PDB file of all heavy atoms in Angstrom:
ATOM      1  N   GLU Y   1     111.031  79.107 128.922  1.00 93.00           N
ATOM      2  CA  GLU Y   1     110.213  79.145 127.727  1.00 93.00           C
ATOM      3  C   GLU Y   1     110.917  79.923 126.628  1.00 93.00           C
ATOM      4  O   GLU Y   1     111.645  80.884 126.897  1.00 93.00           O
ATOM      5  CB  GLU Y   1     108.842  79.772 128.016  1.00 93.00           C
ATOM      6  CG  GLU Y   1     107.921  78.868 128.822  1.00 93.00           C
ATOM      7  CD  GLU Y   1     106.489  79.362 128.788  1.00 93.00           C
ATOM      8  OE1 GLU Y   1     106.275  80.554 128.487  1.00 93.00           O
ATOM      9  OE2 GLU Y   1     105.591  78.547 129.059  1.00 93.00           O
ATOM     10  N   HIS Y   2     110.695  79.488 125.401  1.00 95.00           N
ATOM     11  CA  HIS Y   2     111.292  80.132 124.238  1.00 95.00           C
ATOM     12  C   HIS Y   2     110.241  80.183 123.143  1.00 95.00           C
ATOM     13  O   HIS Y   2     109.193  79.542 123.218  1.00 95.00           O
ATOM     14  CB  HIS Y   2     112.504  79.333 123.732  1.00 95.00           C
ATOM     15  CG  HIS Y   2     113.543  79.065 124.770  1.00 95.00           C
ATOM     16  ND1 HIS Y   2     114.647  79.869 124.966  1.00 95.00           N
ATOM     17  CD2 HIS Y   2     113.652  78.064 125.691  1.00 95.00           C
ATOM     18  CE1 HIS Y   2     115.378  79.384 125.946  1.00 95.00           C
ATOM     19  NE2 HIS Y   2     114.791  78.281 126.397  1.00 95.00           N
ATOM     20  N   MET Y   3     110.544  80.982 122.119  1.00 93.00           N
ATOM     21  CA  MET Y   3     109.699  81.011 120.939  1.00 93.00           C
ATOM     22  C   MET Y   3     110.429  80.293 119.809  1.00 93.00           C
ATOM     23  O   MET Y   3     111.589  80.588 119.514  1.00 93.00           O
ATOM     24  CB  MET Y   3     109.401  82.454 120.523  1.00 93.00           C
ATOM     25  CG  MET Y   3     108.475  82.565 119.328  1.00 93.00           C
ATOM     26  SD  MET Y   3     106.823  81.911 119.673  1.00 93.00           S
ATOM     27  CE  MET Y   3     106.204  83.203 120.742  1.00 93.00           C
ATOM     28  N   LEU Y   4     109.757  79.325 119.213  1.00 93.00           N
ATOM     29  CA  LEU Y   4     110.337  78.538 118.121  1.00 93.00           C
ATOM     30  C   LEU Y   4     109.732  78.972 116.796  1.00 93.00           C
ATOM     31  O   LEU Y   4     108.508  79.060 116.658  1.00 93.00           O
ATOM     32  CB  LEU Y   4     110.059  77.048 118.349  1.00 93.00           C
ATOM     33  CG  LEU Y   4     110.373  76.104 117.179  1.00 93.00           C
ATOM     34  CD1 LEU Y   4     111.875  76.039 116.921  1.00 93.00           C
ATOM     35  CD2 LEU Y   4     109.819  74.711 117.448  1.00 93.00           C
ATOM     36  N   TYR Y   5     110.593  79.236 115.831  1.00 92.00           N
ATOM     37  CA  TYR Y   5     110.145  79.519 114.469  1.00 92.00           C
ATOM     38  C   TYR Y   5     110.854  78.542 113.536  1.00 92.00           C
ATOM     39  O   TYR Y   5     112.071  78.408 113.582  1.00 92.00           O
ATOM     40  CB  TYR Y   5     110.492  80.955 114.059  1.00 92.00           C
ATOM     41  CG  TYR Y   5     110.147  81.262 112.620  1.00 92.00           C
ATOM     42  CD1 TYR Y   5     108.834  81.516 112.235  1.00 92.00           C
ATOM     43  CD2 TYR Y   5     111.131  81.290 111.641  1.00 92.00           C
ATOM     44  CE1 TYR Y   5     108.510  81.784 110.916  1.00 92.00           C
ATOM     45  CE2 TYR Y   5     110.824  81.554 110.320  1.00 92.00           C
ATOM     46  CZ  TYR Y   5     109.501  81.809 109.963  1.00 92.00           C
ATOM     47  OH  TYR Y   5     109.185  82.062 108.662  1.00 92.00           O
ATOM     48  N   ALA Y   6     110.085  77.853 112.697  1.00 92.00           N
ATOM     49  CA  ALA Y   6     110.672  76.884 111.768  1.00 92.00           C
ATOM     50  C   ALA Y   6     110.088  77.095 110.383  1.00 92.00           C
ATOM     51  O   ALA Y   6     108.898  77.400 110.230  1.00 92.00           O
ATOM     52  CB  ALA Y   6     110.414  75.454 112.240  1.00 92.00           C
ATOM     53  N   THR Y   7     110.923  76.922 109.365  1.00 89.00           N
ATOM     54  CA  THR Y   7     110.489  77.083 107.988  1.00 89.00           C
ATOM     55  C   THR Y   7     111.187  76.055 107.105  1.00 89.00           C
ATOM     56  O   THR Y   7     112.306  75.635 107.398  1.00 89.00           O
ATOM     57  CB  THR Y   7     110.782  78.515 107.475  1.00 89.00           C
ATOM     58  OG1 THR Y   7     110.216  78.702 106.179  1.00 89.00           O
ATOM     59  CG2 THR Y   7     112.289  78.773 107.402  1.00 89.00           C
ATOM     60  N   ARG Y   8     110.525  75.652 106.044  1.00 87.00           N
ATOM     61  CA  ARG Y   8     111.099  74.640 105.159  1.00 87.00           C
ATOM     62  C   ARG Y   8     112.095  75.281 104.195  1.00 87.00           C
ATOM     63  O   ARG Y   8     111.802  76.290 103.551  1.00 87.00           O
ATOM     64  CB  ARG Y   8     109.991  73.949 104.366  1.00 87.00           C
ATOM     65  CG  ARG Y   8     110.493  72.804 103.486  1.00 87.00           C
ATOM     66  CD  ARG Y   8     109.369  72.254 102.604  1.00 87.00           C
ATOM     67  NE  ARG Y   8     108.281  71.715 103.400  1.00 87.00           N
ATOM     68  CZ  ARG Y   8     108.286  70.497 103.920  1.00 87.00           C
ATOM     69  NH1 ARG Y   8     109.344  69.709 103.768  1.00 87.00           N
ATOM     70  NH2 ARG Y   8     107.265  70.069 104.615  1.00 87.00           N
ATOM     71  N   LEU Y   9     113.290  74.694 104.105  1.00 84.00           N
ATOM     72  CA  LEU Y   9     114.282  75.117 103.125  1.00 84.00           C
ATOM     73  C   LEU Y   9     114.152  74.305 101.841  1.00 84.00           C
ATOM     74  O   LEU Y   9     114.365  74.814 100.743  1.00 84.00           O
ATOM     75  CB  LEU Y   9     115.702  74.940 103.677  1.00 84.00           C
ATOM     76  CG  LEU Y   9     116.095  75.794 104.883  1.00 84.00           C
ATOM     77  CD1 LEU Y   9     117.501  75.432 105.332  1.00 84.00           C
ATOM     78  CD2 LEU Y   9     116.004  77.273 104.558  1.00 84.00           C
ATOM     79  N   ALA Y  10     113.840  73.032 102.003  1.00 80.00           N
ATOM     80  CA  ALA Y  10     113.741  72.101 100.876  1.00 80.00           C
ATOM     81  C   ALA Y  10     113.057  70.846 101.423  1.00 80.00           C
ATOM     82  O   ALA Y  10     112.864  70.715 102.637  1.00 80.00           O
ATOM     83  CB  ALA Y  10     115.128  71.765 100.320  1.00 80.00           C
ATOM     84  N   PRO Y  11     112.672  69.894 100.562  1.00 77.00           N
ATOM     85  CA  PRO Y  11     112.092  68.657 101.076  1.00 77.00           C
ATOM     86  C   PRO Y  11     112.998  67.986 102.117  1.00 77.00           C
ATOM     87  O   PRO Y  11     114.206  67.872 101.899  1.00 77.00           O
ATOM     88  CB  PRO Y  11     111.962  67.796  99.811  1.00 77.00           C
ATOM     89  CG  PRO Y  11     111.821  68.781  98.710  1.00 77.00           C
ATOM     90  CD  PRO Y  11     112.698  69.946  99.089  1.00 77.00           C
ATOM     91  N   ASP Y  12     112.417  67.616 103.251  1.00 80.00           N
ATOM     92  CA  ASP Y  12     113.150  66.948 104.348  1.00 80.00           C
ATOM     93  C   ASP Y  12     114.186  67.848 105.009  1.00 80.00           C
ATOM     94  O   ASP Y  12     115.051  67.368 105.749  1.00 80.00           O
ATOM     95  CB  ASP Y  12     113.843  65.662 103.861  1.00 80.00           C
ATOM     96  CG  ASP Y  12     112.856  64.632 103.382  1.00 80.00           C
ATOM     97  OD1 ASP Y  12     111.785  64.526 103.998  1.00 80.00           O
ATOM     98  OD2 ASP Y  12     113.150  63.938 102.395  1.00 80.00           O
ATOM     99  N   LEU Y  13     114.117  69.159 104.777  1.00 85.00           N
ATOM    100  CA  LEU Y  13     115.142  70.074 105.289  1.00 85.00           C
ATOM    101  C   LEU Y  13     114.454  71.272 105.938  1.00 85.00           C
ATOM    102  O   LEU Y  13     113.807  72.072 105.251  1.00 85.00           O
ATOM    103  CB  LEU Y  13     116.034  70.525 104.130  1.00 85.00           C
ATOM    104  CG  LEU Y  13     117.422  71.063 104.457  1.00 85.00           C
ATOM    105  CD1 LEU Y  13     118.269  69.976 105.118  1.00 85.00           C
ATOM    106  CD2 LEU Y  13     118.106  71.542 103.190  1.00 85.00           C
ATOM    107  N   ILE Y  14     114.571  71.387 107.259  1.00 90.00           N
ATOM    108  CA  ILE Y  14     113.876  72.425 108.005  1.00 90.00           C
ATOM    109  C   ILE Y  14     114.878  73.315 108.739  1.00 90.00           C
ATOM    110  O   ILE Y  14     115.797  72.827 109.384  1.00 90.00           O
ATOM    111  CB  ILE Y  14     112.906  71.817 109.051  1.00 90.00           C
ATOM    112  CG1 ILE Y  14     111.961  70.813 108.398  1.00 90.00           C
ATOM    113  CG2 ILE Y  14     112.132  72.916 109.765  1.00 90.00           C
ATOM    114  CD1 ILE Y  14     111.079  71.382 107.338  1.00 90.00           C
ATOM    115  N   LEU Y  15     114.694  74.619 108.624  1.00 92.00           N
ATOM    116  CA  LEU Y  15     115.479  75.591 109.378  1.00 92.00           C
ATOM    117  C   LEU Y  15     114.668  76.015 110.592  1.00 92.00           C
ATOM    118  O   LEU Y  15     113.490  76.369 110.458  1.00 92.00           O
ATOM    119  CB  LEU Y  15     115.797  76.814 108.518  1.00 92.00           C
ATOM    120  CG  LEU Y  15     116.386  78.029 109.261  1.00 92.00           C
ATOM    121  CD1 LEU Y  15     117.784  77.731 109.778  1.00 92.00           C
ATOM    122  CD2 LEU Y  15     116.388  79.250 108.356  1.00 92.00           C
ATOM    123  N   ALA Y  16     115.268  75.982 111.766  1.00 93.00           N
ATOM    124  CA  ALA Y  16     114.581  76.386 112.996  1.00 93.00           C
ATOM    125  C   ALA Y  16     115.404  77.424 113.740  1.00 93.00           C
ATOM    126  O   ALA Y  16     116.632  77.295 113.842  1.00 93.00           O
ATOM    127  CB  ALA Y  16     114.334  75.171 113.897  1.00 93.00           C
ATOM    128  N   LEU Y  17     114.731  78.436 114.234  1.00 93.00           N
ATOM    129  CA  LEU Y  17     115.359  79.482 115.042  1.00 93.00           C
ATOM    130  C   LEU Y  17     114.633  79.551 116.377  1.00 93.00           C
ATOM    131  O   LEU Y  17     113.405  79.424 116.435  1.00 93.00           O
ATOM    132  CB  LEU Y  17     115.272  80.838 114.335  1.00 93.00           C
ATOM    133  CG  LEU Y  17     115.957  80.952 112.972  1.00 93.00           C
ATOM    134  CD1 LEU Y  17     115.564  82.257 112.295  1.00 93.00           C
ATOM    135  CD2 LEU Y  17     117.457  80.868 113.124  1.00 93.00           C
ATOM    136  N   VAL Y  18     115.390  79.754 117.455  1.00 94.00           N
ATOM    137  CA  VAL Y  18     114.814  79.843 118.789  1.00 94.00           C
ATOM    138  C   VAL Y  18     115.122  81.220 119.368  1.00 94.00           C
ATOM    139  O   VAL Y  18     116.273  81.674 119.334  1.00 94.00           O
ATOM    140  CB  VAL Y  18     115.372  78.734 119.702  1.00 94.00           C
ATOM    141  CG1 VAL Y  18     114.905  78.939 121.131  1.00 94.00           C
ATOM    142  CG2 VAL Y  18     114.919  77.377 119.205  1.00 94.00           C
ATOM    143  N   PHE Y  19     114.076  81.866 119.878  1.00 95.00           N
ATOM    144  CA  PHE Y  19     114.195  83.211 120.422  1.00 95.00           C
ATOM    145  C   PHE Y  19     113.750  83.225 121.877  1.00 95.00           C
ATOM    146  O   PHE Y  19     113.093  82.297 122.357  1.00 95.00           O
ATOM    147  CB  PHE Y  19     113.299  84.181 119.641  1.00 95.00           C
ATOM    148  CG  PHE Y  19     113.643  84.315 118.182  1.00 95.00           C
ATOM    149  CD1 PHE Y  19     113.197  83.387 117.260  1.00 95.00           C
ATOM    150  CD2 PHE Y  19     114.416  85.378 117.730  1.00 95.00           C
ATOM    151  CE1 PHE Y  19     113.494  83.508 115.910  1.00 95.00           C
ATOM    152  CE2 PHE Y  19     114.719  85.502 116.386  1.00 95.00           C
ATOM    153  CZ  PHE Y  19     114.268  84.571 115.473  1.00 95.00           C
ATOM    154  N   ASP Y  20     114.108  84.295 122.560  1.00 93.00           N
ATOM    155  CA  ASP Y  20     113.572  84.522 123.892  1.00 93.00           C
ATOM    156  C   ASP Y  20     112.056  84.606 123.799  1.00 93.00           C
ATOM    157  O   ASP Y  20     111.505  85.111 122.816  1.00 93.00           O
ATOM    158  CB  ASP Y  20     114.141  85.819 124.467  1.00 93.00           C
ATOM    159  CG  ASP Y  20     113.661  86.082 125.875  1.00 93.00           C
ATOM    160  OD1 ASP Y  20     114.290  85.627 126.836  1.00 93.00           O
ATOM    161  OD2 ASP Y  20     112.609  86.755 126.003  1.00 93.00           O
ATOM    162  N   ALA Y  21     111.370  84.107 124.814  1.00 92.00           N
ATOM    163  CA  ALA Y  21     109.908  84.042 124.783  1.00 92.00           C
ATOM    164  C   ALA Y  21     109.266  85.425 124.675  1.00 92.00           C
ATOM    165  O   ALA Y  21     108.118  85.543 124.234  1.00 92.00           O
ATOM    166  CB  ALA Y  21     109.395  83.319 126.024  1.00 92.00           C
ATOM    167  N   GLU Y  22     109.994  86.479 125.061  1.00 91.00           N
ATOM    168  CA  GLU Y  22     109.434  87.830 125.026  1.00 91.00           C
ATOM    169  C   GLU Y  22     109.618  88.510 123.669  1.00 91.00           C
ATOM    170  O   GLU Y  22     109.137  89.625 123.468  1.00 91.00           O
ATOM    171  CB  GLU Y  22     110.096  88.693 126.116  1.00 91.00           C
ATOM    172  CG  GLU Y  22     109.933  88.162 127.529  1.00 91.00           C
ATOM    173  CD  GLU Y  22     108.467  88.080 127.944  1.00 91.00           C
ATOM    174  OE1 GLU Y  22     107.706  88.990 127.567  1.00 91.00           O
ATOM    175  OE2 GLU Y  22     108.103  87.105 128.622  1.00 91.00           O
ATOM    176  N   THR Y  23     110.298  87.858 122.730  1.00 90.00           N
ATOM    177  CA  THR Y  23     110.545  88.465 121.425  1.00 90.00           C
ATOM    178  C   THR Y  23     109.233  88.615 120.655  1.00 90.00           C
ATOM    179  O   THR Y  23     108.481  87.649 120.508  1.00 90.00           O
ATOM    180  CB  THR Y  23     111.506  87.603 120.594  1.00 90.00           C
ATOM    181  OG1 THR Y  23     112.686  87.340 121.358  1.00 90.00           O
ATOM    182  CG2 THR Y  23     111.908  88.322 119.302  1.00 90.00           C
ATOM    183  N   PRO Y  24     108.925  89.819 120.146  1.00 89.00           N
ATOM    184  CA  PRO Y  24     107.662  90.037 119.410  1.00 89.00           C
ATOM    185  C   PRO Y  24     107.596  89.191 118.143  1.00 89.00           C
ATOM    186  O   PRO Y  24     108.611  88.952 117.488  1.00 89.00           O
ATOM    187  CB  PRO Y  24     107.715  91.534 119.066  1.00 89.00           C
ATOM    188  CG  PRO Y  24     108.671  92.128 120.050  1.00 89.00           C
ATOM    189  CD  PRO Y  24     109.688  91.077 120.329  1.00 89.00           C
ATOM    190  N   PHE Y  25     106.398  88.727 117.797  1.00 84.00           N
ATOM    191  CA  PHE Y  25     106.206  87.945 116.584  1.00 84.00           C
ATOM    192  C   PHE Y  25     106.720  88.694 115.358  1.00 84.00           C
ATOM    193  O   PHE Y  25     107.308  88.111 114.448  1.00 84.00           O
ATOM    194  CB  PHE Y  25     104.719  87.624 116.392  1.00 84.00           C
ATOM    195  CG  PHE Y  25     104.183  86.609 117.365  1.00 84.00           C
ATOM    196  CD1 PHE Y  25     102.839  86.262 117.341  1.00 84.00           C
ATOM    197  CD2 PHE Y  25     105.011  86.008 118.301  1.00 84.00           C
ATOM    198  CE1 PHE Y  25     102.336  85.315 118.238  1.00 84.00           C
ATOM    199  CE2 PHE Y  25     104.511  85.073 119.190  1.00 84.00           C
ATOM    200  CZ  PHE Y  25     103.169  84.739 119.170  1.00 84.00           C
ATOM    201  N   SER Y  26     106.449  90.003 115.317  1.00 84.00           N
ATOM    202  CA  SER Y  26     106.850  90.792 114.147  1.00 84.00           C
ATOM    203  C   SER Y  26     108.359  90.779 113.954  1.00 84.00           C
ATOM    204  O   SER Y  26     108.859  90.703 112.830  1.00 84.00           O
ATOM    205  CB  SER Y  26     106.361  92.232 114.295  1.00 84.00           C
ATOM    206  OG  SER Y  26     106.872  92.825 115.491  1.00 84.00           O
ATOM    207  N   THR Y  27     109.099  90.810 115.061  1.00 87.00           N
ATOM    208  CA  THR Y  27     110.564  90.769 114.992  1.00 87.00           C
ATOM    209  C   THR Y  27     111.040  89.415 114.480  1.00 87.00           C
ATOM    210  O   THR Y  27     111.929  89.337 113.634  1.00 87.00           O
ATOM    211  CB  THR Y  27     111.176  91.041 116.376  1.00 87.00           C
ATOM    212  OG1 THR Y  27     110.769  92.340 116.823  1.00 87.00           O
ATOM    213  CG2 THR Y  27     112.698  90.974 116.324  1.00 87.00           C
ATOM    214  N   ILE Y  28     110.424  88.357 114.996  1.00 86.00           N
ATOM    215  CA  ILE Y  28     110.802  87.000 114.583  1.00 86.00           C
ATOM    216  C   ILE Y  28     110.568  86.810 113.091  1.00 86.00           C
ATOM    217  O   ILE Y  28     111.431  86.324 112.361  1.00 86.00           O
ATOM    218  CB  ILE Y  28     110.017  85.961 115.399  1.00 86.00           C
ATOM    219  CG1 ILE Y  28     110.445  86.002 116.865  1.00 86.00           C
ATOM    220  CG2 ILE Y  28     110.205  84.556 114.820  1.00 86.00           C
ATOM    221  CD1 ILE Y  28     109.641  85.097 117.770  1.00 86.00           C
ATOM    222  N   ARG Y  29     109.393  87.205 112.612  1.00 80.00           N
ATOM    223  CA  ARG Y  29     109.076  86.991 111.194  1.00 80.00           C
ATOM    224  C   ARG Y  29     110.002  87.806 110.289  1.00 80.00           C
ATOM    225  O   ARG Y  29     110.446  87.320 109.257  1.00 80.00           O
ATOM    226  CB  ARG Y  29     107.612  87.348 110.925  1.00 80.00           C
ATOM    227  CG  ARG Y  29     106.638  86.347 111.526  1.00 80.00           C
ATOM    228  CD  ARG Y  29     105.231  86.549 110.986  1.00 80.00           C
ATOM    229  NE  ARG Y  29     104.293  85.605 111.563  1.00 80.00           N
ATOM    230  CZ  ARG Y  29     104.147  84.357 111.158  1.00 80.00           C
ATOM    231  NH1 ARG Y  29     104.895  83.894 110.167  1.00 80.00           N
ATOM    232  NH2 ARG Y  29     103.266  83.580 111.735  1.00 80.00           N
TER     233      ARG Y  29
END
């Protein structure tokens, strides 16, 4: 299991980062 964080850079363009499942939400954000 992992934690996925994705955010829009531009239309049709998404940046995604994958972290260890134990990584705190606050750290990811």
Side-chain angles (χ1 to χ4, degrees):
E1 287 194 340
H2 306 266
M3 182 64 73
L4 169 67
Y5 175 77
T7 187
R8 184 186 299 278
L9 295 177
D12 297 323
L13 201 63
I14 307 299
L15 169 68
L17 299 169
V18 173
F19 298 82
D20 182 89
E22 301 299 322
T23 307
F25 288 177
S26 58
T27 300
I28 293 175
R29 289 193 180 279

